[in-house]
Amino acid sequence: MKIRGLIFDFDGTLLDSVELRIDSWKNAFKAYGVDVPEDLIRPMIGFPGVDLAKKFVRNPLDVEMLQEDYFLKNIESARFFQDVIPTLNKLKEMGIKTAVVTSTRRIVIQRFSIPVDHIVTIDDVSKGKPDTEPYLKAINMMGIRPEECIVVGDIENDLIPARRLKCISVLVKHGRNISSAFADYEIENIGDILDLIRKLEVNENR
């Protein structure tokens, strides 16, 4: 099946922002008198904010909104990984549709210029990842079938719904020593997705 579309996660996949997210969550929890260790927050980065916060507090929406405020105040320190923009531009040249599906609020996403065709935030759906709803929304917006789509993420929460939909799931590692049973493929950097697409198309033509 020819690849016609790609879905990317945002935090930790396209944007080098995980450390800033962790600091923002720690500050938000402390403001409400709760000390949550970094090692409990880190694995949940990428989950819908309310779902993360409700693990530790009884007022999760308030804490999430404060976290977003901390994040926005320091957003200038967050940068796209080096090869992100060139890769997205190349995909456009190749005629491949692109989308971002993120658990981040739209108010944050609007601060960035992302050269993709569609963006689905947590504000656009009733259920966030690992539910399949945001991915189905993006796939429908791109006008493709799930099996024609590659999903790229940096945690299992990104890959689980991809597997459920029979998309091709790809774990991007960004130098980390990680793996996932839900990944069909692993790449080191975002730019490596271009080689993977070429390999998949070569195999399809054999």
Side-chain angles (χ1 to χ4, degrees):
M1 183 66 65
K2 183 176 176 59
I3 302 303
R4 297 182 57 216
L6 267 82
I7 293 175
F8 294 93
D9 170 54
F10 188 63
D11 277 315
T13 297
L14 299 182
L15 191 72
D16 189 2
S17 56
V18 171
E19 299 307 319
L20 176 58
R21 276 290 180 195
I22 292 171
D23 287 343
S24 299
W25 277 113
K26 288 174 67 176
N27 286 327
F29 284 126
K30 284 181 180 179
Y32 281 90
V34 181
D35 186 14
V36 181
E38 176 181 324
D39 61 347
L40 294 183
I41 298 173
R42 185 177 294 277
M44 296 191 68
I45 297 298
F47 280 69
V50 169
D51 292 345
L52 190 159
K54 71 172 54 169
K55 298 284 186 182
F56 310 104
V57 295
R58 294 182 179 178
N59 54 334
L61 183 58
D62 293 336
V63 175
E64 185 207 359
M65 291 296 98
L66 183 57
Q67 178 274 145
E68 293 286 12
D69 185 54
Y70 279 119
F71 187 82
L72 283 169
K73 285 179 179 177
N74 296 280
I75 205 167
E76 296 304 321
S77 66
R79 295 284 187 274
F80 288 114
F81 288 101
Q82 186 174 3
D83 56 351
V84 165
I85 301 302
T87 301
L88 293 176
N89 289 334
K90 181 63 177 177
L91 289 168
K92 188 177 292 291
E93 290 175 11
M94 296 166 64
I96 296 176
K97 298 179 181 180
T98 53
V100 164
V101 170
T102 177
S103 298
T104 299
R105 296 284 179 181
R106 184 163 289 276
I107 191 174
V108 174
I109 292 294
Q110 290 173 338
R111 297 287 294 272
F112 295 90
S113 178
I114 315 171
V116 295
D117 299 307
H118 306 284
I119 297 176
V120 178
T121 73
I122 191 63
D123 295 315
D124 302 316
V125 294
S126 58
K127 294 181 180 179
K129 295 182 281 188
D131 194 89
T132 58
E133 181 188 350
Y135 283 8
L136 282 171
K137 187 177 183 71
I139 288 167
N140 289 334
M141 292 168 77
M142 289 190 286
I144 63 174
R145 290 178 288 179
E147 59 268 26
E148 298 173 320
C149 182
I150 293 176
V151 171
V152 183
D154 66 310
I155 62 171
E156 289 195 338
N157 213 42
D158 303 320
L159 306 181
I160 291 171
R163 273 289 183 86
R164 288 175 179 165
L165 293 172
K166 299 190 182 337
C167 300
I168 297 170
S169 59
V170 177
L171 177 71
V172 60
K173 301 172 76 170
H174 290 308
R176 298 173 299 157
N177 183 24
I178 58 172
S179 62
S180 171
F182 296 97
D184 296 313
Y185 299 93
E186 296 180 359
I187 57 175
E188 286 296 329
N189 304 295
I190 290 296
D192 297 334
I193 199 68
L194 299 174
D195 287 334
L196 178 58
I197 291 171
R198 294 185 188 104
K199 289 177 182 176
L200 291 172
E201 290 183 344
V202 167
N203 291 338
E204 179 67 20
N205 292 328
R206 286 178 177 172

